[in-house]
Amino acid sequence: MPHVTVVAGPAENPVYQVGGKSFVFFRTPRPDAVDPETGEKYPDVVVFWVPSESDKLALVQDPDSPFFTTKHFDGHLSVLLRTSRVGELTIQELAEVVQDAWLSRASPTRARKWLAENSA
C-alpha cells in the first residue's frame, strides 16, 4: 500500500501508518486478550482497523473466524487476529483486510486515487 510508514510502538512493536494514522499494529500482550483455558496473555495479536461497525461484526460474529474482539475494543473500529491463526485466511482474504484497514485510515484523496488505480 502506498504512503505507508512503519513506526515502533511502546515495546518496539511495528505500527503501520498512513498519513500518520495507524491502520495495522502488532499489539503487546494485554490482559484483555487471553487464552480462555490458561489465562495466559496472547503474545501475537495484530489489530486491523475496519471501515465500519458492520464490517467489524461481519468479521467477528462467526465463532470459527480467526478474527475476534475484546471489551477493550468495544466502540473501536478494529478487529484482532492472532498471528498463530493467520494461516486460516487465504492471501486474498488477508490482503482485503489490510487494504480495507488502509482505506479506512487514508485521506479521502489517497483512498480515491488508490481505488481508481486498483479497481478491476
Side-chain angles (χ1 to χ4, degrees):
M1 303 302 300
H3 308 286
V4 172
T5 56
V6 182
V7 298
E12 299 302 313
N13 49 310
V15 179
Y16 292 81
Q17 297 182 334
V18 56
K21 294 180 180 179
S22 301
F23 67 97
V24 173
F25 73 91
F26 289 75
R27 195 172 185 229
T28 56
R30 301 285 304 265
D32 65 306
V34 298
D35 183 301
E37 294 177 17
T38 67
E40 300 260 338
K41 296 175 190 173
Y42 290 143
D44 61 341
V45 175
V46 183
V47 179
F48 297 87
W49 265 253
V50 294
S52 69
E53 187 67 23
S54 61
D55 290 296
K56 178 177 183 169
L57 290 174
L59 290 170
V60 301
Q61 280 185 324
D62 180 354
D64 293 329
S65 170
F67 294 102
F68 68 103
T69 190
T70 69
K71 292 250 183 238
H72 179 78
F73 286 91
D74 283 354
H76 192 270
L77 294 179
S78 60
V79 295
L80 310 175
L81 172 70
R82 295 190 63 204
T83 59
S84 61
R85 295 193 65 187
V86 75
E88 297 175 36
L89 302 171
T90 66
I91 296 293
Q92 183 177 348
E93 289 169 330
L94 184 58
E96 185 176 317
V97 170
V98 172
Q99 290 166 3
D100 285 350
W102 185 91
L103 287 164
S104 73
R105 303 293 283 168
S107 70
T109 301
R110 285 180 176 163
R112 276 192 306 274
K113 182 178 182 199
W114 187 86
L115 285 169
E117 293 170 353
N118 293 280
S119 294

PDB file of all heavy atoms in Angstrom, residues 80-117:
ATOM      1  N   LEU A  80      -9.219  -7.943  15.914  1.00  0.00           N
ATOM      2  CA  LEU A  80      -7.960  -8.540  16.340  1.00  0.00           C
ATOM      3  C   LEU A  80      -7.775  -9.881  15.642  1.00  0.00           C
ATOM      4  O   LEU A  80      -8.753 -10.562  15.325  1.00  0.00           O
ATOM      5  CB  LEU A  80      -7.965  -8.741  17.852  1.00  0.00           C
ATOM      6  CG  LEU A  80      -8.365  -7.533  18.702  1.00  0.00           C
ATOM      7  CD1 LEU A  80      -8.451  -7.918  20.167  1.00  0.00           C
ATOM      8  CD2 LEU A  80      -7.422  -6.388  18.494  1.00  0.00           C
ATOM      9  N   LEU A  81      -6.530 -10.243  15.441  1.00  0.00           N
ATOM     10  CA  LEU A  81      -6.177 -11.527  14.839  1.00  0.00           C
ATOM     11  C   LEU A  81      -4.887 -12.003  15.475  1.00  0.00           C
ATOM     12  O   LEU A  81      -3.919 -11.237  15.561  1.00  0.00           O
ATOM     13  CB  LEU A  81      -5.983 -11.373  13.322  1.00  0.00           C
ATOM     14  CG  LEU A  81      -5.441 -12.575  12.562  1.00  0.00           C
ATOM     15  CD1 LEU A  81      -6.478 -13.691  12.504  1.00  0.00           C
ATOM     16  CD2 LEU A  81      -5.015 -12.169  11.159  1.00  0.00           C
ATOM     17  N   ARG A  82      -4.874 -13.248  15.920  1.00  0.00           N
ATOM     18  CA  ARG A  82      -3.626 -13.824  16.420  1.00  0.00           C
ATOM     19  C   ARG A  82      -2.801 -14.272  15.224  1.00  0.00           C
ATOM     20  O   ARG A  82      -3.331 -14.900  14.301  1.00  0.00           O
ATOM     21  CB  ARG A  82      -3.903 -15.018  17.333  1.00  0.00           C
ATOM     22  CG  ARG A  82      -4.644 -14.601  18.606  1.00  0.00           C
ATOM     23  CD  ARG A  82      -4.720 -15.707  19.605  1.00  0.00           C
ATOM     24  NE  ARG A  82      -3.352 -16.044  20.020  1.00  0.00           N
ATOM     25  CZ  ARG A  82      -3.005 -17.227  20.519  1.00  0.00           C
ATOM     26  NH1 ARG A  82      -3.902 -18.173  20.690  1.00  0.00           N
ATOM     27  NH2 ARG A  82      -1.756 -17.461  20.866  1.00  0.00           N
ATOM     28  N   THR A  83      -1.513 -13.991  15.214  1.00  0.00           N
ATOM     29  CA  THR A  83      -0.678 -14.412  14.095  1.00  0.00           C
ATOM     30  C   THR A  83      -0.642 -15.931  13.989  1.00  0.00           C
ATOM     31  O   THR A  83      -0.465 -16.463  12.896  1.00  0.00           O
ATOM     32  CB  THR A  83       0.756 -13.854  14.198  1.00  0.00           C
ATOM     33  OG1 THR A  83       1.362 -14.301  15.411  1.00  0.00           O
ATOM     34  CG2 THR A  83       0.757 -12.340  14.132  1.00  0.00           C
ATOM     35  N   SER A  84      -0.868 -16.618  15.089  1.00  0.00           N
ATOM     36  CA  SER A  84      -0.890 -18.081  15.042  1.00  0.00           C
ATOM     37  C   SER A  84      -2.084 -18.611  14.250  1.00  0.00           C
ATOM     38  O   SER A  84      -2.107 -19.786  13.881  1.00  0.00           O
ATOM     39  CB  SER A  84      -0.908 -18.660  16.459  1.00  0.00           C
ATOM     40  OG  SER A  84      -2.066 -18.234  17.158  1.00  0.00           O
ATOM     41  N   ARG A  85      -3.054 -17.755  13.929  1.00  0.00           N
ATOM     42  CA  ARG A  85      -4.235 -18.180  13.170  1.00  0.00           C
ATOM     43  C   ARG A  85      -4.284 -17.568  11.773  1.00  0.00           C
ATOM     44  O   ARG A  85      -5.243 -17.788  11.038  1.00  0.00           O
ATOM     45  CB  ARG A  85      -5.512 -17.819  13.940  1.00  0.00           C
ATOM     46  CG  ARG A  85      -5.629 -18.587  15.260  1.00  0.00           C
ATOM     47  CD  ARG A  85      -6.982 -18.479  15.871  1.00  0.00           C
ATOM     48  NE  ARG A  85      -7.993 -19.116  15.022  1.00  0.00           N
ATOM     49  CZ  ARG A  85      -9.301 -19.049  15.269  1.00  0.00           C
ATOM     50  NH1 ARG A  85      -9.751 -18.375  16.305  1.00  0.00           N
ATOM     51  NH2 ARG A  85     -10.163 -19.641  14.459  1.00  0.00           N
ATOM     52  N   VAL A  86      -3.257 -16.813  11.392  1.00  0.00           N
ATOM     53  CA  VAL A  86      -3.271 -16.157  10.082  1.00  0.00           C
ATOM     54  C   VAL A  86      -3.353 -17.171   8.940  1.00  0.00           C
ATOM     55  O   VAL A  86      -3.922 -16.885   7.890  1.00  0.00           O
ATOM     56  CB  VAL A  86      -2.074 -15.191   9.916  1.00  0.00           C
ATOM     57  CG1 VAL A  86      -0.780 -15.940   9.665  1.00  0.00           C
ATOM     58  CG2 VAL A  86      -2.348 -14.183   8.829  1.00  0.00           C
ATOM     59  N   GLY A  87      -2.856 -18.373   9.152  1.00  0.00           N
ATOM     60  CA  GLY A  87      -2.904 -19.419   8.128  1.00  0.00           C
ATOM     61  C   GLY A  87      -4.308 -19.894   7.801  1.00  0.00           C
ATOM     62  O   GLY A  87      -4.516 -20.592   6.813  1.00  0.00           O
ATOM     63  N   GLU A  88      -5.288 -19.508   8.625  1.00  0.00           N
ATOM     64  CA  GLU A  88      -6.679 -19.853   8.347  1.00  0.00           C
ATOM     65  C   GLU A  88      -7.289 -18.946   7.282  1.00  0.00           C
ATOM     66  O   GLU A  88      -8.393 -19.191   6.812  1.00  0.00           O
ATOM     67  CB  GLU A  88      -7.503 -19.773   9.636  1.00  0.00           C
ATOM     68  CG  GLU A  88      -7.064 -20.770  10.683  1.00  0.00           C
ATOM     69  CD  GLU A  88      -7.795 -20.597  11.999  1.00  0.00           C
ATOM     70  OE1 GLU A  88      -9.000 -20.271  11.981  1.00  0.00           O
ATOM     71  OE2 GLU A  88      -7.150 -20.791  13.057  1.00  0.00           O
ATOM     72  N   LEU A  89      -6.558 -17.893   6.916  1.00  0.00           N
ATOM     73  CA  LEU A  89      -7.025 -16.956   5.897  1.00  0.00           C
ATOM     74  C   LEU A  89      -6.305 -17.232   4.584  1.00  0.00           C
ATOM     75  O   LEU A  89      -5.142 -17.635   4.584  1.00  0.00           O
ATOM     76  CB  LEU A  89      -6.723 -15.516   6.326  1.00  0.00           C
ATOM     77  CG  LEU A  89      -7.320 -15.053   7.640  1.00  0.00           C
ATOM     78  CD1 LEU A  89      -6.759 -13.693   8.016  1.00  0.00           C
ATOM     79  CD2 LEU A  89      -8.834 -15.003   7.545  1.00  0.00           C
ATOM     80  N   THR A  90      -6.992 -16.965   3.496  1.00  0.00           N
ATOM     81  CA  THR A  90      -6.311 -17.015   2.204  1.00  0.00           C
ATOM     82  C   THR A  90      -5.515 -15.723   2.051  1.00  0.00           C
ATOM     83  O   THR A  90      -5.772 -14.730   2.755  1.00  0.00           O
ATOM     84  CB  THR A  90      -7.319 -17.130   1.036  1.00  0.00           C
ATOM     85  OG1 THR A  90      -8.092 -15.915   0.979  1.00  0.00           O
ATOM     86  CG2 THR A  90      -8.230 -18.346   1.198  1.00  0.00           C
ATOM     87  N   ILE A  91      -4.577 -15.724   1.126  1.00  0.00           N
ATOM     88  CA  ILE A  91      -3.818 -14.499   0.834  1.00  0.00           C
ATOM     89  C   ILE A  91      -4.781 -13.386   0.423  1.00  0.00           C
ATOM     90  O   ILE A  91      -4.637 -12.241   0.837  1.00  0.00           O
ATOM     91  CB  ILE A  91      -2.774 -14.759  -0.271  1.00  0.00           C
ATOM     92  CG1 ILE A  91      -1.729 -15.757   0.208  1.00  0.00           C
ATOM     93  CG2 ILE A  91      -2.128 -13.456  -0.734  1.00  0.00           C
ATOM     94  CD1 ILE A  91      -0.830 -15.269   1.310  1.00  0.00           C
ATOM     95  N   GLN A  92      -5.790 -13.739  -0.365  1.00  0.00           N
ATOM     96  CA  GLN A  92      -6.772 -12.752  -0.828  1.00  0.00           C
ATOM     97  C   GLN A  92      -7.553 -12.163   0.351  1.00  0.00           C
ATOM     98  O   GLN A  92      -7.779 -10.952   0.412  1.00  0.00           O
ATOM     99  CB  GLN A  92      -7.721 -13.383  -1.839  1.00  0.00           C
ATOM    100  CG  GLN A  92      -8.720 -12.404  -2.412  1.00  0.00           C
ATOM    101  CD  GLN A  92      -9.611 -13.039  -3.479  1.00  0.00           C
ATOM    102  OE1 GLN A  92      -9.364 -14.134  -3.947  1.00  0.00           O
ATOM    103  NE2 GLN A  92     -10.651 -12.316  -3.855  1.00  0.00           N
ATOM    104  N   GLU A  93      -7.967 -13.003   1.299  1.00  0.00           N
ATOM    105  CA  GLU A  93      -8.708 -12.512   2.469  1.00  0.00           C
ATOM    106  C   GLU A  93      -7.841 -11.578   3.307  1.00  0.00           C
ATOM    107  O   GLU A  93      -8.292 -10.514   3.739  1.00  0.00           O
ATOM    108  CB  GLU A  93      -9.189 -13.674   3.333  1.00  0.00           C
ATOM    109  CG  GLU A  93     -10.304 -14.483   2.713  1.00  0.00           C
ATOM    110  CD  GLU A  93     -10.579 -15.788   3.448  1.00  0.00           C
ATOM    111  OE1 GLU A  93      -9.642 -16.375   4.043  1.00  0.00           O
ATOM    112  OE2 GLU A  93     -11.749 -16.210   3.419  1.00  0.00           O
ATOM    113  N   LEU A  94      -6.598 -11.970   3.534  1.00  0.00           N
ATOM    114  CA  LEU A  94      -5.694 -11.141   4.320  1.00  0.00           C
ATOM    115  C   LEU A  94      -5.419  -9.821   3.609  1.00  0.00           C
ATOM    116  O   LEU A  94      -5.445  -8.751   4.228  1.00  0.00           O
ATOM    117  CB  LEU A  94      -4.396 -11.883   4.617  1.00  0.00           C
ATOM    118  CG  LEU A  94      -3.395 -11.161   5.505  1.00  0.00           C
ATOM    119  CD1 LEU A  94      -4.011 -10.802   6.855  1.00  0.00           C
ATOM    120  CD2 LEU A  94      -2.151 -12.005   5.691  1.00  0.00           C
ATOM    121  N   ALA A  95      -5.190  -9.894   2.298  1.00  0.00           N
ATOM    122  CA  ALA A  95      -4.950  -8.669   1.524  1.00  0.00           C
ATOM    123  C   ALA A  95      -6.150  -7.726   1.617  1.00  0.00           C
ATOM    124  O   ALA A  95      -5.989  -6.512   1.775  1.00  0.00           O
ATOM    125  CB  ALA A  95      -4.648  -9.008   0.070  1.00  0.00           C
ATOM    126  N   GLU A  96      -7.348  -8.283   1.552  1.00  0.00           N
ATOM    127  CA  GLU A  96      -8.556  -7.457   1.630  1.00  0.00           C
ATOM    128  C   GLU A  96      -8.668  -6.764   2.984  1.00  0.00           C
ATOM    129  O   GLU A  96      -9.020  -5.582   3.059  1.00  0.00           O
ATOM    130  CB  GLU A  96      -9.789  -8.312   1.374  1.00  0.00           C
ATOM    131  CG  GLU A  96     -11.075  -7.522   1.305  1.00  0.00           C
ATOM    132  CD  GLU A  96     -12.276  -8.386   0.962  1.00  0.00           C
ATOM    133  OE1 GLU A  96     -12.175  -9.250   0.076  1.00  0.00           O
ATOM    134  OE2 GLU A  96     -13.324  -8.180   1.604  1.00  0.00           O
ATOM    135  N   VAL A  97      -8.348  -7.478   4.059  1.00  0.00           N
ATOM    136  CA  VAL A  97      -8.414  -6.882   5.390  1.00  0.00           C
ATOM    137  C   VAL A  97      -7.383  -5.751   5.514  1.00  0.00           C
ATOM    138  O   VAL A  97      -7.692  -4.676   6.046  1.00  0.00           O
ATOM    139  CB  VAL A  97      -8.212  -7.952   6.488  1.00  0.00           C
ATOM    140  CG1 VAL A  97      -8.042  -7.323   7.863  1.00  0.00           C
ATOM    141  CG2 VAL A  97      -9.389  -8.919   6.494  1.00  0.00           C
ATOM    142  N   VAL A  98      -6.180  -5.964   5.000  1.00  0.00           N
ATOM    143  CA  VAL A  98      -5.149  -4.921   5.059  1.00  0.00           C
ATOM    144  C   VAL A  98      -5.558  -3.728   4.194  1.00  0.00           C
ATOM    145  O   VAL A  98      -5.442  -2.575   4.614  1.00  0.00           O
ATOM    146  CB  VAL A  98      -3.773  -5.482   4.630  1.00  0.00           C
ATOM    147  CG1 VAL A  98      -2.745  -4.355   4.489  1.00  0.00           C
ATOM    148  CG2 VAL A  98      -3.293  -6.521   5.638  1.00  0.00           C
ATOM    149  N   GLN A  99      -6.054  -3.997   2.993  1.00  0.00           N
ATOM    150  CA  GLN A  99      -6.494  -2.909   2.114  1.00  0.00           C
ATOM    151  C   GLN A  99      -7.630  -2.116   2.747  1.00  0.00           C
ATOM    152  O   GLN A  99      -7.625  -0.879   2.725  1.00  0.00           O
ATOM    153  CB  GLN A  99      -6.926  -3.462   0.755  1.00  0.00           C
ATOM    154  CG  GLN A  99      -5.772  -3.982  -0.058  1.00  0.00           C
ATOM    155  CD  GLN A  99      -6.205  -4.826  -1.247  1.00  0.00           C
ATOM    156  OE1 GLN A  99      -7.385  -4.995  -1.528  1.00  0.00           O
ATOM    157  NE2 GLN A  99      -5.227  -5.366  -1.954  1.00  0.00           N
ATOM    158  N   ASP A 100      -8.614  -2.815   3.319  1.00  0.00           N
ATOM    159  CA  ASP A 100      -9.725  -2.123   3.976  1.00  0.00           C
ATOM    160  C   ASP A 100      -9.230  -1.296   5.161  1.00  0.00           C
ATOM    161  O   ASP A 100      -9.732  -0.186   5.397  1.00  0.00           O
ATOM    162  CB  ASP A 100     -10.786  -3.114   4.440  1.00  0.00           C
ATOM    163  CG  ASP A 100     -11.634  -3.663   3.304  1.00  0.00           C
ATOM    164  OD1 ASP A 100     -11.552  -3.148   2.167  1.00  0.00           O
ATOM    165  OD2 ASP A 100     -12.384  -4.635   3.556  1.00  0.00           O
ATOM    166  N   ALA A 101      -8.267  -1.820   5.896  1.00  0.00           N
ATOM    167  CA  ALA A 101      -7.698  -1.075   7.022  1.00  0.00           C
ATOM    168  C   ALA A 101      -7.034   0.203   6.514  1.00  0.00           C
ATOM    169  O   ALA A 101      -7.261   1.292   7.057  1.00  0.00           O
ATOM    170  CB  ALA A 101      -6.701  -1.948   7.786  1.00  0.00           C
ATOM    171  N   TRP A 102      -6.226   0.068   5.468  1.00  0.00           N
ATOM    172  CA  TRP A 102      -5.547   1.226   4.884  1.00  0.00           C
ATOM    173  C   TRP A 102      -6.569   2.243   4.382  1.00  0.00           C
ATOM    174  O   TRP A 102      -6.466   3.434   4.674  1.00  0.00           O
ATOM    175  CB  TRP A 102      -4.625   0.757   3.754  1.00  0.00           C
ATOM    176  CG  TRP A 102      -3.789   1.836   3.152  1.00  0.00           C
ATOM    177  CD1 TRP A 102      -2.535   2.205   3.537  1.00  0.00           C
ATOM    178  CD2 TRP A 102      -4.136   2.676   2.043  1.00  0.00           C
ATOM    179  NE1 TRP A 102      -2.083   3.231   2.739  1.00  0.00           N
ATOM    180  CE2 TRP A 102      -3.053   3.533   1.819  1.00  0.00           C
ATOM    181  CE3 TRP A 102      -5.256   2.786   1.227  1.00  0.00           C
ATOM    182  CZ2 TRP A 102      -3.044   4.493   0.801  1.00  0.00           C
ATOM    183  CZ3 TRP A 102      -5.254   3.739   0.220  1.00  0.00           C
ATOM    184  CH2 TRP A 102      -4.164   4.582   0.014  1.00  0.00           C
ATOM    185  N   LEU A 103      -7.566   1.769   3.635  1.00  0.00           N
ATOM    186  CA  LEU A 103      -8.586   2.661   3.084  1.00  0.00           C
ATOM    187  C   LEU A 103      -9.374   3.382   4.174  1.00  0.00           C
ATOM    188  O   LEU A 103      -9.773   4.535   4.001  1.00  0.00           O
ATOM    189  CB  LEU A 103      -9.545   1.886   2.178  1.00  0.00           C
ATOM    190  CG  LEU A 103      -8.971   1.471   0.833  1.00  0.00           C
ATOM    191  CD1 LEU A 103      -9.842   0.403   0.187  1.00  0.00           C
ATOM    192  CD2 LEU A 103      -8.796   2.678  -0.086  1.00  0.00           C
ATOM    193  N   SER A 104      -9.581   2.712   5.311  1.00  0.00           N
ATOM    194  CA  SER A 104     -10.349   3.327   6.390  1.00  0.00           C
ATOM    195  C   SER A 104      -9.585   4.447   7.083  1.00  0.00           C
ATOM    196  O   SER A 104     -10.181   5.276   7.770  1.00  0.00           O
ATOM    197  CB  SER A 104     -10.788   2.273   7.410  1.00  0.00           C
ATOM    198  OG  SER A 104      -9.705   1.830   8.194  1.00  0.00           O
ATOM    199  N   ARG A 105      -8.266   4.490   6.894  1.00  0.00           N
ATOM    200  CA  ARG A 105      -7.448   5.485   7.586  1.00  0.00           C
ATOM    201  C   ARG A 105      -6.748   6.472   6.656  1.00  0.00           C
ATOM    202  O   ARG A 105      -6.281   7.521   7.090  1.00  0.00           O
ATOM    203  CB  ARG A 105      -6.407   4.769   8.446  1.00  0.00           C
ATOM    204  CG  ARG A 105      -7.001   3.801   9.461  1.00  0.00           C
ATOM    205  CD  ARG A 105      -7.785   4.481  10.542  1.00  0.00           C
ATOM    206  NE  ARG A 105      -6.818   5.054  11.475  1.00  0.00           N
ATOM    207  CZ  ARG A 105      -7.109   5.910  12.434  1.00  0.00           C
ATOM    208  NH1 ARG A 105      -8.336   6.306  12.612  1.00  0.00           N
ATOM    209  NH2 ARG A 105      -6.170   6.373  13.222  1.00  0.00           N
ATOM    210  N   ALA A 106      -6.674   6.136   5.371  1.00  0.00           N
ATOM    211  CA  ALA A 106      -6.026   7.036   4.403  1.00  0.00           C
ATOM    212  C   ALA A 106      -6.902   8.263   4.173  1.00  0.00           C
ATOM    213  O   ALA A 106      -8.120   8.232   4.394  1.00  0.00           O
ATOM    214  CB  ALA A 106      -5.797   6.301   3.086  1.00  0.00           C
ATOM    215  N   SER A 107      -6.296   9.318   3.707  1.00  0.00           N
ATOM    216  CA  SER A 107      -7.069  10.514   3.366  1.00  0.00           C
ATOM    217  C   SER A 107      -8.025  10.177   2.227  1.00  0.00           C
ATOM    218  O   SER A 107      -7.761   9.257   1.436  1.00  0.00           O
ATOM    219  CB  SER A 107      -6.139  11.650   2.940  1.00  0.00           C
ATOM    220  OG  SER A 107      -5.554  11.345   1.684  1.00  0.00           O
ATOM    221  N   PRO A 108      -9.124  10.899   2.109  1.00  0.00           N
ATOM    222  CA  PRO A 108     -10.058  10.634   1.004  1.00  0.00           C
ATOM    223  C   PRO A 108      -9.390  10.725  -0.364  1.00  0.00           C
ATOM    224  O   PRO A 108      -9.682   9.919  -1.250  1.00  0.00           O
ATOM    225  CB  PRO A 108     -11.132  11.714   1.180  1.00  0.00           C
ATOM    226  CG  PRO A 108     -11.106  12.040   2.643  1.00  0.00           C
ATOM    227  CD  PRO A 108      -9.657  11.904   3.037  1.00  0.00           C
ATOM    228  N   THR A 109      -8.472  11.658  -0.537  1.00  0.00           N
ATOM    229  CA  THR A 109      -7.776  11.804  -1.823  1.00  0.00           C
ATOM    230  C   THR A 109      -6.927  10.568  -2.115  1.00  0.00           C
ATOM    231  O   THR A 109      -6.976  10.022  -3.215  1.00  0.00           O
ATOM    232  CB  THR A 109      -6.900  13.076  -1.820  1.00  0.00           C
ATOM    233  OG1 THR A 109      -7.745  14.201  -1.577  1.00  0.00           O
ATOM    234  CG2 THR A 109      -6.162  13.236  -3.129  1.00  0.00           C
ATOM    235  N   ARG A 110      -6.154  10.129  -1.141  1.00  0.00           N
ATOM    236  CA  ARG A 110      -5.320   8.935  -1.335  1.00  0.00           C
ATOM    237  C   ARG A 110      -6.180   7.702  -1.573  1.00  0.00           C
ATOM    238  O   ARG A 110      -5.866   6.871  -2.426  1.00  0.00           O
ATOM    239  CB  ARG A 110      -4.417   8.703  -0.132  1.00  0.00           C
ATOM    240  CG  ARG A 110      -3.262   9.657  -0.071  1.00  0.00           C
ATOM    241  CD  ARG A 110      -2.376   9.406   1.129  1.00  0.00           C
ATOM    242  NE  ARG A 110      -1.228  10.295   1.062  1.00  0.00           N
ATOM    243  CZ  ARG A 110      -0.448  10.569   2.081  1.00  0.00           C
ATOM    244  NH1 ARG A 110      -0.678  10.010   3.262  1.00  0.00           N
ATOM    245  NH2 ARG A 110       0.569  11.388   1.940  1.00  0.00           N
ATOM    246  N   ALA A 111      -7.261   7.583  -0.823  1.00  0.00           N
ATOM    247  CA  ALA A 111      -8.144   6.422  -0.983  1.00  0.00           C
ATOM    248  C   ALA A 111      -8.772   6.407  -2.376  1.00  0.00           C
ATOM    249  O   ALA A 111      -8.776   5.364  -3.044  1.00  0.00           O
ATOM    250  CB  ALA A 111      -9.230   6.439   0.095  1.00  0.00           C
ATOM    251  N   ARG A 112      -9.296   7.552  -2.824  1.00  0.00           N
ATOM    252  CA  ARG A 112      -9.893   7.623  -4.168  1.00  0.00           C
ATOM    253  C   ARG A 112      -8.878   7.266  -5.246  1.00  0.00           C
ATOM    254  O   ARG A 112      -9.175   6.511  -6.166  1.00  0.00           O
ATOM    255  CB  ARG A 112     -10.459   9.020  -4.436  1.00  0.00           C
ATOM    256  CG  ARG A 112     -11.838   9.255  -3.897  1.00  0.00           C
ATOM    257  CD  ARG A 112     -12.452  10.543  -4.442  1.00  0.00           C
ATOM    258  NE  ARG A 112     -11.615  11.720  -4.232  1.00  0.00           N
ATOM    259  CZ  ARG A 112     -11.612  12.461  -3.126  1.00  0.00           C
ATOM    260  NH1 ARG A 112     -12.389  12.137  -2.110  1.00  0.00           N
ATOM    261  NH2 ARG A 112     -10.823  13.510  -3.031  1.00  0.00           N
ATOM    262  N   LYS A 113      -7.672   7.806  -5.114  1.00  0.00           N
ATOM    263  CA  LYS A 113      -6.630   7.537  -6.111  1.00  0.00           C
ATOM    264  C   LYS A 113      -6.280   6.055  -6.139  1.00  0.00           C
ATOM    265  O   LYS A 113      -6.191   5.451  -7.201  1.00  0.00           O
ATOM    266  CB  LYS A 113      -5.383   8.372  -5.815  1.00  0.00           C
ATOM    267  CG  LYS A 113      -4.296   8.180  -6.846  1.00  0.00           C
ATOM    268  CD  LYS A 113      -3.084   9.051  -6.586  1.00  0.00           C
ATOM    269  CE  LYS A 113      -2.099   8.800  -7.709  1.00  0.00           C
ATOM    270  NZ  LYS A 113      -0.767   9.181  -7.419  1.00  0.00           N
ATOM    271  N   TRP A 114      -6.093   5.459  -4.974  1.00  0.00           N
ATOM    272  CA  TRP A 114      -5.735   4.038  -4.926  1.00  0.00           C
ATOM    273  C   TRP A 114      -6.854   3.183  -5.508  1.00  0.00           C
ATOM    274  O   TRP A 114      -6.603   2.263  -6.287  1.00  0.00           O
ATOM    275  CB  TRP A 114      -5.414   3.595  -3.491  1.00  0.00           C
ATOM    276  CG  TRP A 114      -4.893   2.200  -3.456  1.00  0.00           C
ATOM    277  CD1 TRP A 114      -3.600   1.804  -3.619  1.00  0.00           C
ATOM    278  CD2 TRP A 114      -5.665   0.997  -3.286  1.00  0.00           C
ATOM    279  NE1 TRP A 114      -3.512   0.428  -3.550  1.00  0.00           N
ATOM    280  CE2 TRP A 114      -4.762  -0.097  -3.358  1.00  0.00           C
ATOM    281  CE3 TRP A 114      -7.006   0.749  -3.082  1.00  0.00           C
ATOM    282  CZ2 TRP A 114      -5.181  -1.408  -3.227  1.00  0.00           C
ATOM    283  CZ3 TRP A 114      -7.417  -0.583  -2.949  1.00  0.00           C
ATOM    284  CH2 TRP A 114      -6.504  -1.628  -3.021  1.00  0.00           C
ATOM    285  N   LEU A 115      -8.095   3.497  -5.157  1.00  0.00           N
ATOM    286  CA  LEU A 115      -9.231   2.724  -5.677  1.00  0.00           C
ATOM    287  C   LEU A 115      -9.333   2.863  -7.197  1.00  0.00           C
ATOM    288  O   LEU A 115      -9.582   1.883  -7.891  1.00  0.00           O
ATOM    289  CB  LEU A 115     -10.534   3.179  -5.010  1.00  0.00           C
ATOM    290  CG  LEU A 115     -10.723   2.703  -3.568  1.00  0.00           C
ATOM    291  CD1 LEU A 115     -11.897   3.431  -2.915  1.00  0.00           C
ATOM    292  CD2 LEU A 115     -10.908   1.191  -3.506  1.00  0.00           C
ATOM    293  N   ALA A 116      -9.115   4.061  -7.717  1.00  0.00           N
ATOM    294  CA  ALA A 116      -9.185   4.278  -9.160  1.00  0.00           C
ATOM    295  C   ALA A 116      -8.100   3.477  -9.879  1.00  0.00           C
ATOM    296  O   ALA A 116      -8.336   2.922 -10.960  1.00  0.00           O
ATOM    297  CB  ALA A 116      -9.051   5.767  -9.484  1.00  0.00           C
ATOM    298  N   GLU A 117      -6.924   3.396  -9.287  1.00  0.00           N
ATOM    299  CA  GLU A 117      -5.802   2.684  -9.904  1.00  0.00           C
ATOM    300  C   GLU A 117      -5.882   1.176  -9.731  1.00  0.00           C
ATOM    301  O   GLU A 117      -5.214   0.438 -10.449  1.00  0.00           O
ATOM    302  CB  GLU A 117      -4.476   3.192  -9.325  1.00  0.00           C
ATOM    303  CG  GLU A 117      -4.165   4.622  -9.691  1.00  0.00           C
ATOM    304  CD  GLU A 117      -2.978   5.186  -8.933  1.00  0.00           C
ATOM    305  OE1 GLU A 117      -2.451   4.498  -8.008  1.00  0.00           O
ATOM    306  OE2 GLU A 117      -2.571   6.316  -9.257  1.00  0.00           O
TER     307      GLU A 117
END
